[in-house]
Amino acid sequence: TTNNNISFGKAITLSGDVAMSSGAGAGTMTFSDSIDATGDHGQSLTLTAGTGDINFDNAVGATTDLKDITIVSAKNVDTDGTLAAKNFIQNAGTGTTQFDGAVTLSEGMDYNGTNLNLNAALNAGTNVSITNSGTFTTNAAGAIVATGTFTQDGLGTSTLSGDITTTNNNISFGKAITLSGDVAMSSGAG
């Protein structure tokens, strides 16, 4: 669309890779029901919302995991349910990206944006990279478990109460951390 809303009231099943764009302006995308792939990690979803928001009101990868979920641009990204995919990639975000449900990624997360809030667990099969210009926030339920590395390398700070664990791989923070709860970090036994 040209700077106008895109809205789905019922469940979506992807039978191929799908790209949606509401333009460079303030067109909001709302997905009121679940989004699934046809085959496990079979199909990708790419979303361009410009200065608009993206609202996932239900589970993404509810019964069949998506391949790559790519947010090209958005103001706020709000994920109310669980999210399951191969990769989650966000190229730009001027507001807040928030995960209220558990995130399960067979590979990894590459977040580039302003504020990122994890209110539920994040499990990644490879690396987690957070490039935030605002605040990266985890609550106690927002523990991160990554088989690969964890890297925070944005210009913004971090406020943490969720644990971070890697499997014999590096944990790195480039900017200041404020602890809002007890936090345990482990890079494994290796």
Side-chain angles (χ1 to χ4, degrees), residues 99-116:
F99 295 94
D100 291 326
V103 178
T104 304
L105 303 170
S106 63
E107 290 192 0
M109 172 180 281
D110 184 8
Y111 170 82
N112 298 272
T114 304
N115 303 306
L116 176 63

Side-chain angles (χ1 to χ4, degrees), residues 127-132 149-154 170-174:
N127 302 324
V128 174
S129 174
I130 308 297
T131 304
N132 58 302
T149 60
F150 172 88
T151 305
Q152 184 277 324
D153 60 357
N170 296 343
I171 297 173
S172 174
F173 284 86

Side-chain angles (χ1 to χ4, degrees), residues 79 133 135 146 175:
T79 304
S133 60
T135 305
K175 296 297 179 181

Side-chain angles (χ1 to χ4, degrees), residues 4-26:
N4 281 294
N5 297 344
I6 295 174
S7 178
F8 286 85
K10 297 297 181 182
I12 298 171
T13 300
L14 303 179
S15 56
D17 294 340
V18 173
M20 299 184 192
S21 174
S22 59

Side-chain angles (χ1 to χ4, degrees), residues 126-127 146-150 165-171 186-188 190:
T126 57
N127 302 324
T147 301
T149 60
F150 172 88
T165 303
T166 66
T167 304
N168 305 328
N169 278 295
N170 296 343
I171 297 173
S186 173
S187 57

Side-chain angles (χ1 to χ4, degrees), residues 50-130:
T51 60
D53 297 336
I54 298 173
N55 299 311
F56 297 108
D57 295 334
N58 210 310
V60 181
T63 56
T64 308
D65 297 1
L66 274 63
K67 188 179 179 183
D68 296 335
I69 299 171
T70 302
I71 309 297
V72 176
S73 61
K75 183 181 179 183
N76 300 308
V77 179
D78 188 27
T79 304
D80 292 335
T82 58
L83 184 145
K86 188 174 183 180
N87 291 289
F88 179 87
I89 303 154
Q90 184 164 342
N91 297 332
T94 58
T96 298
T97 295
Q98 180 162 306
F99 295 94
D100 291 326
V103 178
T104 304
L105 303 170
S106 63
E107 290 192 0
M109 172 180 281
D110 184 8
Y111 170 82
N112 298 272
T114 304
N115 303 306
L116 176 63
N117 296 341
L118 285 181
N119 294 329
L122 166 62
N123 286 276
T126 57
N127 302 324
V128 174
S129 174
I130 308 297

